[in-house]
Amino acid sequence: PAAQMLPRVWLQNYTWRDEQTWRWRQQAELPPATLAIRSPFDADVRFSQKRETQWVGYKVHLTETCDPDAPQIITPVATSAAPIAAGNLTAPIHAALEAKDLLPSDHLVDTAWLDAELLVDSQRDYQVNLVGPTRRDTGWQARQAGNQFAIKDFQIDWEHRGAICPAGRRSQFWMPALDSHGQEVIQIKFSKRECRACAVQSQCTRSHPPRRAITVQPEARYKALLAAREREASPAFADQYALRAGIEGTLSHGVRSFDLRRARYLGKIKTHLQHLLIAMSMNLARIGRWLAAEPLAQVRPSAFKRLHSVPATAPA
């Protein structure tokens, strides 16, 4: 294995300058993070970064139940390479839950696990309703406070392939296209002449010459995303999504008590086994506390608070 690793590392870092000499690869020639070997001892580990945290290794993805009248049990445990986006695991986790007849009706997830495509696919393929905060509209019209016109303010006429702006003007162009990630989108553009003469132009576009253009996803995804964003604004969403705070406590418990952030073995297969054993240990402890009727703590009590809760005894 060591001899097989050596040419892979050389090929990753060097290329031919000419027929007889090698040179270092330039930055643009290096393999992406999902393929780049980061350790000669473990060919499966990869580099990743989340905000200020950098690491070489894997990601563990935990899912747990949150029924108020039952113990909170960790169900599927997934292990992926570090740079793999969480959304790539949503469908495999649903497939694993379906295989065990454990699919939920509502699945509370973080933003990374949810997008317009997953909202549609989860409902269509598994009858699972993904619940979580969606990614925001990044246009300046949506980010600024005031009366600016964001995409949600446009009426999309799917049947006649057009859009109507807040001023009542109909779009001029409707063009299916692909975005930078290869996903299907629809580019909609309005008339330059009508935008130039529009009385609310400053609330809609900053382009020169003035012309509003919007990009939307296909109908099913667009409607699912719009409905999810409307749901987020309701008090019921806040109450329901508050239940997801439990999984953050689960991850914290796994890190503090079971060294979840440290891979004890080499290779993804053995690391996944470690994650499974940790989840099993946590489940056994949770079932034991539930059978003993111990109430669930909202936050981890400090050592002083635990000492203070010990009942006092008078001397004999």
Side-chain angles (χ1 to χ4, degrees), residues 40 53 70 78-79 94-95 103 108 135 178 184 199 209 229 234 243 254 287 295 302:
T53 302
T79 304
H94 285 163
L103 278 173
L108 309 182
R135 292 177 175 86
L178 297 177
E184 294 181 1
R229 287 174 174 170
S234 67
L243 295 173
I287 293 172
S302 65

Side-chain angles (χ1 to χ4, degrees), residues 89-133:
L89 275 296
T90 303
I93 286 175
H94 285 163
L97 288 167
E98 183 181 47
K100 298 292 185 180
D101 196 22
L102 292 174
L103 278 173
S105 56
D106 294 328
H107 191 176
L108 309 182
V109 296
D110 194 5
T111 303
W113 298 80
L114 176 152
D115 60 22
E117 182 178 9
L118 289 171
L119 284 169
V120 174
D121 292 351
S122 297
Q123 186 66 49
R124 181 195 63 208
D125 299 337
Y126 301 102
Q127 292 74 57
V128 171
N129 180 32
L130 285 180
V131 179

